[in-house]
Amino acid sequence: MIALRSIEEIESIRKAGAIVAQALETVRKQARAGVTTAQLDAIASGVILSAGGIPAFKGYKGYPANICASVNEEVVHGIPSHRKLKDGDILSVDVGVKLGDYFADAALTVGIGRISGEAERLMRATHDSLQRGIELARPGNRLSDISSAVQQHVEAQGFSVVKAFVGHGIGTRIHEEPEIPNFGKPGKGPRLEAGMVLAIEPMVNAGTYEVEVLEDGWTAVTKDGKLSAHFEHTIAVTDSGARVLTAL
Ligand code: MF3
Ligand code: CO
């Protein structure tokens, strides 16, 4: 069963989402060559706690940090560390916040200094595929219309969608029904209804779609070592279309 949230509940998720957005924006501005991903983790945690929220990933299935920080060939779930960012890297940052009883979740990828043309195109294709997916998150459409729009856009740009990880419903838990793959035929799955709250999160690889998880049990990397990007928003389906809840 996919939860249908009231206007008041959506407002609560939006408040959590505003903190997510603030943390992401702060990290985006502070991410530069020489800064470690552990420093960015501490900065994000500071923003979240000062705003009265709780970093939602910490302790989730044993996850050891506040945010995910995935560099270059790391796809998602990179654990912040003393690794210093360097010129030309791309960094995917994923933030989840619990505020009161409600959760919000979003991610973005940022370039460090001067990045390659391919990295630039990969980031843009991923960002734009999320926007295409969001546009289709409206009442009457089916869930896989979102998935299909993401995949179509990504593949038209010559990149591949990760299949091993998916988006998800969100609300009073970080992961709720339904799963939202970033691939598939349109016109399948549940019909979207006003009140559904969804985290749509394309993970896009420059080369093969295949990923593997490192020995740390978390960090997912591309099998071919090529770059990967990730953008995510928590949105509410409303009568007038999708409303992004993880915006400033
Ligand atoms: N946005 C990711 C997800 O929905 C982040 C989860 S990280 C974890 O799966 F540490 F909480 F697992
Ligand atoms: Co998510």
Side-chain angles (χ1 to χ4, degrees):
M1 219 244 339
I2 305 174
L4 296 182
R5 305 288 175 189
S6 67
I7 301 287
E8 292 76 19
E9 287 179 293
I10 290 171
E11 186 54 18
S12 298
I13 300 167
R14 190 198 61 75
K15 284 182 180 148
I19 303 174
V20 170
Q22 202 191 337
L24 281 173
E25 184 56 19
T26 306
V27 168
R28 200 178 60 72
K29 284 193 193 131
Q30 299 292 326
R32 66 177 78 89
V35 171
T36 70
T37 52
Q39 286 173 315
L40 297 176
D41 185 272
I43 289 167
S45 167
V47 171
I48 294 166
L49 295 171
S50 320
I54 297 168
F57 297 164
K58 184 118 192 211
Y60 179 82
K61 296 185 178 170
Y63 186 72
N66 297 296
I67 66 171
C68 301
S70 310
V71 183
N72 295 337
E73 77 286 357
E74 297 174 354
V75 178
V76 286
H77 304 165
I79 302 172
S81 73
H82 296 291
R83 172 182 187 161
K84 280 187 177 148
L85 295 171
K86 57 181 196 327
D87 195 59
D89 284 346
I90 64 171
L91 169 70
S92 297
V93 184
D94 195 341
V95 174
V97 167
K98 184 178 194 211
L99 182 69
D101 292 330
Y102 293 92
F103 289 86
D105 180 11
L108 55 75
T109 302
V110 57
I112 307 301
R114 220 182 121 84
I115 64 171
S116 69
E118 183 175 53
E120 197 78 67
R121 285 191 297 281
L122 176 70
M123 285 171 48
R124 182 167 323 114
T126 311
H127 173 273
D128 292 354
S129 75
L130 171 58
Q131 296 309 319
R132 300 290 178 103
I134 290 173
E135 282 165 23
L136 292 183
R138 54 176 190 254
N141 279 355
R142 292 203 185 247
L143 187 67
S144 83
D145 295 338
I146 298 172
S147 311
S148 158
V150 169
Q151 182 178 29
Q152 294 296 321
H153 185 78
V154 166
E155 292 182 354
Q157 310 299 308
F159 299 122
S160 65
V161 288
V162 171
K163 299 195 161 109
F165 300 99
V166 295
H168 49 96
I170 182 167
T172 48
R173 285 171 297 134
I174 184 97
H175 292 148
E176 298 184 355
E177 284 177 62
E179 289 193 349
I180 311 173
N182 293 301
F183 59 94
K185 293 194 181 94
K188 311 273 178 205
R191 219 172 262 292
L192 301 178
E193 291 177 48
M196 291 179 176
V197 177
L198 308 172
I200 305 174
E201 51 178 317
M203 290 145 272
V204 176
N205 294 352
T208 179
Y209 74 92
E210 289 180 292
V211 302
E212 60 194 24
V213 175
L214 299 184
E215 308 253 286
D216 63 17
W218 282 103
T219 313
V221 297
T222 57
K223 263 204 172 151
D224 58 12
K226 294 191 178 169
L227 296 177
S228 186
H230 182 206
F231 282 85
E232 175 178 23
H233 271 306
T234 296
I235 65 101
V237 179
T238 78
D239 288 324
S240 52
R243 172 155 182 232
V244 175
L245 303 178
T246 39
L248 284 177

